Amino acid sequence: MREFAKISCSIWGSEKFTGLPNDDARLLYLYLHTCPHVNSLGCYVLRPGYAMSDLGWDVDPEGAIRYRNGIEALSKANLIGFDKQHSLIRIVDFLKYSPFANPKHAKGALRILDDLPDCDEKSFLISDIERQKHLPDDFLGHEFDTVSIRYQNSSDIPETRDPRPETKGRGGEEGTRATAVADAPSPGPSLVSQLADALGFNDPDGRGWPKYWAAADAHIIASRWITDLGLTASEVIEVAVSNAKAHGTPANGPRTLTRHMQAFAAAKNAPPLEIPAQPTGGLTHDRAIARDRRQAAADDALQRRLYAAARVD
């Protein structure tokens, strides 16, 4: 059990923290940093009963609702990641503020990692660890059983995480199962890099990126704009740049941009616009005029798609 926890005094100026819906959520966030279960990775299994007992919510008939609502609020604010199946808590950016101090610290933390249940939150944690100093030389070559998020349809990309992990088998029938990562195409990383270039915040090591674009799930979400929505890379970049120009900033992250991508895909797949024939008054129109009208209609449809992608809330 850790003897102390680091919580920045700037938390009281954090819009994410102060913007939480109630004091229950804020208390729960502080509890997750300081409870007896927290470890040097900021990622651990926490059974609801233990937390409710520590917080004194177990005597409240609605204690379970308070806890669930608090977890959902923190997940939606991207202050924590949560795996419901394993009751696994991952404090977002924990290692950013409590990094490994030395090789011994890193070695002890990696022993904790081995014991964590396999789920998508563990995948996100490994991505965070890879950015740390003092890692053993063989860490990047070490195999961890992890899985990635699988969603049923494009509207399932949540603000509140609801992971549906698959088991990565080790033999027999289970060994034939492939994870979502193995099944899905992988345009994500290169696409995110192209977006970074187009939006003007790219640099060789990615340190200048907004944190929601540098997060591990940015690649997963971006790849699904292509695999699930049927967009091309050039269309994705076109929508992102159009949205940035409309708002005067490239700050919108992948989750917010998903709504714009969905709107663009809907407009793209909409039936052709039917333009009622105009009375000709007995005049005969040549092919050049008809071709000009078709081009004008196509240009109008494109402008409507771009407007919908840039203006959707």
Side-chain angles (χ1 to χ4, degrees):
M1 179 174 133
R2 289 167 65 89
E3 296 180 355
F4 66 92
K6 290 183 180 179
I7 301 180
S8 173
C9 297
S10 64
I11 191 172
W12 299 105
S14 165
E15 291 183 3
K16 286 185 177 181
F17 182 76
T18 58
L20 290 171
N22 51 48
D23 286 342
D24 277 357
R26 285 183 278 273
L27 175 61
L28 179 57
Y29 184 64
L30 296 176
Y31 169 78
L32 295 178
H33 275 274
T34 57
C35 72
H37 309 277
V38 70
N39 55 36
S40 56
L41 291 175
C43 187
Y44 53 93
V45 172
L46 177 62
R47 302 300 177 191
Y50 292 139
M52 291 163 55
S53 177
D54 289 341
L55 291 165
W57 292 353
D58 57 339
V59 298
D60 187 336
E62 297 183 352
I65 297 176
R66 294 173 68 183
Y67 181 75
R68 183 178 67 246
N69 290 345
I71 291 292
E72 290 179 354
L74 295 177
S75 298
K76 187 172 183 179
N78 197 32
L79 288 170
I80 68 167
F82 179 65
D83 184 276
K84 183 177 180 181
Q85 180 182 357
H86 299 98
S87 296
L88 185 76
I89 300 288
R90 179 180 62 87
I91 300 174
V92 173
D93 288 339
F94 183 90
L95 291 177
K96 178 179 179 180
Y97 299 103
S98 298
F100 299 154
N102 50 58
K104 183 177 179 181
H105 183 183
K107 185 176 180 180
L110 296 182
R111 284 198 294 266
I112 296 172
L113 177 66
D114 284 329
D115 293 334
L116 293 177
D118 301 327
C119 61
D120 60 287
E121 293 302 333
K122 185 174 181 178
S123 297
F124 295 136
L125 176 61
I126 291 173
S127 296
D128 290 341
I129 292 174
E130 288 173 349
R131 303 186 183 100
Q132 292 290 304
K133 298 179 180 179
H134 307 299
L135 294 175
D137 293 338
D138 62 346
F139 175 75
L140 296 180
H142 187 80
E143 293 188 1
F144 297 97
D145 284 338
T146 58
V147 293
S148 293
I149 301 175
R150 166 165 291 196
Y151 301 100
Q152 299 301 321
N153 54 61
S154 58
S155 63
D156 287 337
I157 298 177
E159 292 295 330
T160 302
R161 301 178 188 273
D162 183 18
R164 299 176 174 87
E166 290 188 4
T167 302
K168 183 176 180 181
R170 295 188 176 90
E173 182 179 352
E174 289 189 356
T176 64
R177 299 182 193 172
T179 64
V181 170
D183 289 338
S186 57
S190 60
L191 178 57
V192 169
S193 181
Q194 292 177 56
L195 283 167
D197 285 331
L199 294 174
F201 56 79
N202 202 1
D203 58 54
D205 58 9
R207 292 181 181 177
W209 293 17
K211 61 182 178 181
Y212 27 72
W213 280 108
D217 60 348
H219 301 306
I220 300 172
I221 295 173
S223 70
R224 296 198 61 240
W225 296 337
I226 292 179
T227 59
D228 287 23
L229 297 181
L231 301 180
T232 65
S234 59
E235 287 173 332
V236 166
I237 293 171
E238 181 182 23
V239 172
V241 171
S242 177
N243 177 263
K245 289 180 178 178
H247 293 84
T249 173
N252 278 341
R255 294 180 182 275
T256 300
L257 272 179
T258 291
R259 297 196 294 270
H260 300 271
M261 299 298 172
Q262 289 171 326
F264 183 87
K268 175 184 175 182
N269 297 321
L273 180 66
E274 295 184 5
I275 303 177
Q278 298 294 326
T280 63
L283 297 177
T284 301
H285 294 265
D286 60 21
R287 292 182 179 179
I289 295 176
R291 184 170 60 252
D292 289 343
R293 285 184 173 177
R294 288 195 298 272
Q295 184 61 47
D299 292 342
D300 179 70
L302 176 60
Q303 290 299 320
R304 288 189 294 107
R305 290 199 300 270
L306 290 176
Y307 179 85
R311 295 297 181 185
V312 68
D313 291 327

